[in-house]
Amino acid sequence: MKAWHLNDTTGLDALELVDVEEPQPGPAEVRIKLRSSGLNHLDLWVSRGMPKPHSLPHILGADGAGVVDAIGEGVAGFEIGDEIIIDPSTSCGSCDYCKRDQIIYCSAFKILGEHRSGTLAGSVLVPTINAVRKPAAMDWDVAGSFGLASVTALRMLERAGIRENKTVLVVGVGGGVSAAAMAFAVAFHTRVFVTSRSQEKIDWAISQGAAGGFLSDQNFGEEVTALGGADVVIDNVGPATLRQSMKAARPGGTIAICGGTSGPKFELTLPHLFFKELEIIGSTMGTHSQFARATEYVGSGDVKIPVSRTFAFDDLPEAMSYLDAGDQTGKIAISR
């Protein structure tokens, strides 16, 4: 089969399209012949050694969807040809955290494309618990690309206590997680505001149900406060926006953070935190049940995850460059 190998951690120039043997499923595994994959900023970071893969060559890609074409020994409940969406979060499956579906705390927690071989190949092996039935009406490009960003966004909103009629601010709309967070928040009947450096992306968000938007590089904290402030702020940009996000949060509000695309460090002025009694929470990925809920929401059409652009499998370097430029609105799909 064809696979994109990452041969070094020097970025996109280290990608090479090669022929490799198809992997054979072991017990409790199925092999998925991929129809579509999705790109995430995680792929860019791993290609640059942040974090460095455990071994090289390495296959990137957390998201994917396709059909079962091989079944491991002792596996029941799956047949050749079943249409599957891949839940990218794996764990040991037996510790107390896993038994309580809190897999992100498992010491063996791993993500496809980061810690183990990913979906930028012809096929991929996954444990059966990670093989989720594709809703029949779901488009393949959406099925292969929505997963990681959507479950991350859903977990952030749920951990922040999202409720109907609350106000949500999504910072940096346009990226996969932010676009998904906006889509979920709109579907949950909240008042949603967004920020972006691009007026075009702000206008797009308003067309998708956002109540308004503000430029990220201006004083959006005061602008949101003038409109009553946000109960929940979703921020994965980090240092470049976090101070304004804290201003935008109303007293007692919650700021959920799942990443820092503008850098890893931020100097916090404590009075801004304790006088408003803000809650800042970290969040990463999601559980199997949250992935199932995300799939149900997207599959039903209640949550609309945009696919900004679809690239052919052979054009992966071009797709990665497009992602790196930050021009997308939503997800980037890789079709077979």
Side-chain angles (χ1 to χ4, degrees), residues 169 171 220-221 233 235 241-249 255:
L169 173 64
V171 176
F220 67 82
V233 180
D235 190 326
T241 57
L242 194 51
R243 197 173 306 281
Q244 291 297 321
S245 291
M246 292 176 68
K247 285 184 181 180
I255 301 167

Side-chain angles (χ1 to χ4, degrees), residues 251-314:
T254 300
I255 301 167
I257 302 171
C258 73
T261 58
S262 62
K265 295 182 180 180
F266 173 74
E267 185 174 302
L268 177 65
T269 303
L270 290 177
H272 293 165
L273 180 67
F274 59 72
F275 278 133
K276 290 176 74 174
E277 294 196 341
L278 299 177
E279 183 178 14
I280 299 178
I281 61 173
S283 187
T284 187
M285 299 298 293
T287 67
H288 293 314
S289 60
Q290 285 170 327
F291 191 90
R293 284 198 294 280
T295 301
E296 183 177 352
Y297 285 128
V298 176
S300 68
D302 291 339
V303 173
K304 301 184 186 304
I305 301 299
V307 175
S308 180
R309 189 170 168 187
T310 299
F311 290 83
F313 182 71
D314 288 354

Side-chain angles (χ1 to χ4, degrees), residues 36-224:
S36 177
S37 303
L39 295 185
N40 296 280
H41 275 88
L42 176 65
D43 300 310
L44 292 173
W45 297 332
V46 173
S47 76
R48 295 164 182 161
M50 301 181 295
K52 186 175 181 179
H54 290 295
S55 63
L56 293 171
H58 175 69
I59 299 176
L60 300 169
D63 288 322
V67 298
V68 174
D69 75 339
I71 298 172
E73 182 181 353
V75 170
F78 290 90
E79 296 182 357
I80 302 299
D82 285 347
E83 296 183 345
I84 297 296
I85 297 169
I86 295 169
D87 178 348
S89 299
T90 67
S91 64
C92 77
S94 59
C95 70
D96 288 341
Y97 289 128
C98 290
K99 291 176 181 177
R100 291 187 280 115
D101 192 32
Q102 292 296 332
I103 61 172
I104 55 158
Y105 305 129
C106 173
S107 61
F109 179 78
K110 295 179 180 179
I111 303 171
L112 265 68
E114 179 180 356
H115 309 99
R116 55 187 291 166
S117 188
T119 60
L120 295 178
S123 61
V124 65
L125 300 180
V126 295
T128 54
I129 196 171
N130 294 85
V132 178
R133 307 286 179 175
K134 184 182 86 69
M138 188 184 289
D139 181 84
W140 277 109
D141 285 349
V142 173
S145 62
F146 84 94
L148 183 146
S150 292
V151 75
T152 299
L154 179 60
R155 182 172 178 82
M156 292 173 79
L157 290 166
E158 290 185 345
R159 294 200 66 223
I162 187 71
R163 294 191 301 279
E164 189 173 348
N165 297 323
K166 293 295 185 179
T167 298
V168 177
L169 173 64
V170 178
V171 176
V173 77
V177 172
S178 297
M182 184 201 73
F184 279 105
V186 168
F188 295 162
H189 304 292
T190 68
R191 183 175 68 152
V192 184
F193 294 112
V194 302
T195 81
S196 175
R197 291 177 295 176
S198 163
Q199 185 62 49
E200 183 179 356
K201 291 184 179 181
I202 291 172
D203 294 341
W204 168 82
I206 292 172
S207 75
Q208 299 301 304
F214 313 94
L215 294 171
S216 295
D217 54 2
Q218 297 186 16
N219 195 354
F220 67 82
E222 290 187 4
E223 294 178 291
V224 176

Side-chain angles (χ1 to χ4, degrees), residues 19-32:
D19 288 302
V20 298
E21 290 188 9
E22 279 199 308
Q24 299 303 314
E29 288 185 328
V30 291
R31 188 175 69 200
I32 309 300

